[in-house]
Amino acid sequence: MRKLQVVTLVDRPTVTGGAERLAVQVAARLDRERFESILCASRRTDEPLLDAELAEAGVEVLNLRRGSKLDLGAWRPLVQRMRNGVDVVHAHMFGSNVWGTVLGRLTRVPVVVAHEHTWSFQGRPVRRFLDRELVGRYADAFVAVAAEDRRKMIEVEGVDAQKIRLIPNGIPTQDAGDGSAVRRELGIDDAAPVIGVVCELRAQKALEVLFEAAARLRTELPELKVLVAGDGPERERLEAELGRLGLEGTVLLLGIRRDVPALLDALDVAVLSSDYEGSPLSVMEYMAAGKPIASTRVGGISELVDDGREALLVEPRDPKALADAIARLLRDPDEAKRLGEAARARQQREYSLDAMVRRIESLYEELWLASPRRRP
């Protein structure tokens, strides 16, 4: 096969966590002997660290700087590029999936891949319609990151099961971090129990449930600290919730951190309190760090870890059950260590970024070889 030109389409690429970060990592790791990688950002915000990473990896960057949903003219540079040699468009998340499918079919790109990174699958009839009748019908493949998401795409949205490809997420090898430095920075005693979460501050993450669990735990563990690394649209509401619960000195909203491995090393227990998830990168990072995990049993979480074997899982929206799981791990260091070590072994065995990239590369080549639109 000749080298294939691949455009990765995202809204706002970032060096921090989430689906956009994963898309950047995949684009940067495609085999340069087989693929020419281009990252197209439709609403780019400048990040010097990201630019340096992509340049080092040999990834070309196309910035559209779309100002709004109605800024149709901003798509012109991508359309021109698609008409001149692009073999694969790989879009990530709903908006990019829609635009990537429409523009890819109009310009007769041989392969269009849409990548679903999970959502609630509740309400939003327009989204369900577009996923089913546009993306699911006209993209060559619709990637799901978890078996539970695949089931919902079929049963809730009505997407053709034959179009859906299951490719679990993966993370790169992580360097060890210095948790004692983080504790010193934050003024936390070495003996204090510390739990935490790394996530974007969005309603999906149900952080108020974690806060209510912390309020319960604080009566037994007055030195408890809760570290929340990340930022997002829910910050103001969450700050108000902390005030209501009197947790201002217990829960620390740290904003975006560039030292996630060190932050995880500072934790005694890693937590996820979400209402829904697909295949969350944060949980994979907890696993890679060997942290004991207390998580809600939602979405693809049960595909990543087994309850009692690699984590403790509880039902969503149950702060008492979450508090009990966290307390159990804090009280029993031996069990916590056993779960953390088992989680690390499973992540290394099943959820590496390299394995994910190889699956995606194979998908590109399979679909291109089968495409009636492929160019010589």
Side-chain angles (χ1 to χ4, degrees):
M1 289 181 61
R2 65 171 175 80
K3 184 182 289 190
L4 301 183
Q5 189 175 101
V6 178
V7 170
T8 299
L9 178 61
V10 295
D11 196 33
R12 289 186 176 90
T14 177
V15 295
T16 56
E20 297 90 346
R21 173 60 178 161
L22 184 61
V24 169
Q25 291 174 326
V26 171
R29 283 168 172 77
L30 292 178
D31 183 353
R32 292 296 170 265
E33 298 296 317
R34 296 150 61 202
F35 303 97
E36 176 186 347
S37 186
I38 302 163
L39 182 77
C40 180
S42 64
R43 297 176 186 265
R44 175 67 189 276
T45 54
D46 293 319
E47 290 198 43
L49 288 175
L50 178 63
D51 292 335
E53 177 183 337
L54 292 171
E56 183 178 354
V59 177
E60 180 185 345
V61 179
L62 181 62
N63 288 321
L64 304 185
R65 301 188 185 277
R66 239 183 353 136
S68 70
K69 293 180 180 179
L70 300 179
D71 188 5
L72 301 182
W75 291 105
R76 188 174 295 112
L78 177 60
V79 170
Q80 291 173 344
R81 193 61 180 265
M82 286 178 167
R83 286 173 172 161
N84 290 282
V86 171
D87 297 294
V88 179
V89 171
H90 186 169
H92 292 261
M93 305 181 70
F94 174 63
S96 294
N97 287 344
V98 170
W99 281 109
T101 301
V102 170
L103 298 178
R105 291 288 80 105
L106 288 175
T107 56
R108 293 190 57 78
V109 170
V111 175
V112 174
V113 177
H115 208 126
E116 175 58 74
H117 290 271
T118 207
W119 66 293
S120 68
F121 295 94
Q122 298 175 356
R124 302 185 67 180
V126 173
R127 173 165 184 169
R128 295 201 305 271
F129 173 82
L130 290 173
D131 275 348
R132 179 180 66 253
E133 300 297 336
L134 178 64
V135 181
R137 180 170 294 185
Y138 294 105
D140 296 287
F142 205 166
V143 175
V145 299
E148 180 65 9
D149 277 8
R150 181 182 185 276
R151 183 188 68 79
K152 290 180 178 178
M153 291 166 72
I154 296 167
E155 297 180 5
V156 177
E157 295 189 299
V159 176
D160 182 355
Q162 294 185 346
K163 282 290 186 78
I164 302 174
R165 302 296 187 96
L166 176 61
I167 301 180
N169 289 339
I171 61 170
T173 301
Q174 297 187 104
D175 295 328
D178 183 3
S180 60
V182 172
R183 288 193 176 224
R184 286 194 301 271
E185 172 199 343
L186 301 175
I188 301 173
D189 188 81
D190 288 344
V194 179
I195 66 176
V197 58
V198 179
C199 68
E200 187 176 359
L201 307 188
R202 290 185 279 119
Q204 167 198 352
K205 303 301 181 179
L207 289 173
E208 64 276 10
V209 176
L210 171 59
F211 296 169
E212 291 177 24
R216 291 173 175 270
L217 290 167
R218 194 177 56 172
T219 58
E220 178 186 347
L221 303 166
E223 301 302 314
L224 176 73
K225 297 294 181 185
V226 182
L227 308 185
V228 180
D231 212 339
E234 288 279 292
R235 186 181 185 101
E236 186 175 339
R237 185 185 70 82
L238 293 172
E239 288 173 340
E241 182 69 8
L242 291 179
R244 184 184 72 81
L245 294 170
L247 292 174
E248 297 96 329
T250 299
V251 178
L252 306 181
L253 300 181
L254 303 177
I256 293 172
R257 301 280 299 205
R258 309 290 187 192
D259 59 344
V260 170
L263 183 81
L264 295 181
D265 190 57
L267 303 182
D268 296 301
V269 177
V271 184
L272 185 132
S273 55
S274 298
D275 286 333
Y276 61 90
E277 288 287 353
S279 182
L281 301 177
S282 60
V283 171
M284 293 182 188
E285 290 174 342
Y286 302 162
M287 296 168 72
K291 292 287 112 177
I293 301 166
S295 171
T296 47
R297 185 186 287 104
V298 294
I301 297 296
S302 295
E303 298 166 42
L304 296 180
V305 291
D306 290 324
D307 185 26
R309 181 176 296 175
E310 294 104 4
L312 297 183
L313 304 183
V314 302
E315 295 307 308
R317 291 285 162 181
D318 189 341
K320 181 181 183 303
L322 185 61
D324 289 346
I326 294 168
R328 175 177 161 183
L329 294 172
L330 291 174
R331 292 191 197 108
D332 190 341
D334 290 338
E335 181 181 30
K337 182 180 180 181
R338 175 181 63 80
L339 293 174
E341 289 177 348
R344 178 191 284 126
R346 184 165 182 178
Q347 185 278 320
Q348 292 174 344
R349 189 171 62 246
E350 300 181 24
Y351 301 109
S352 74
L353 179 60
D354 286 342
M356 178 190 178
V357 172
R358 300 292 86 79
R359 293 186 188 108
I360 288 173
E361 290 174 338
S362 295
L363 178 64
Y364 292 164
E365 292 176 334
E366 173 198 336
L367 295 175
W368 185 82
L369 285 171
S371 175
R373 297 175 296 277
R374 75 173 187 263
R375 297 149 184 159

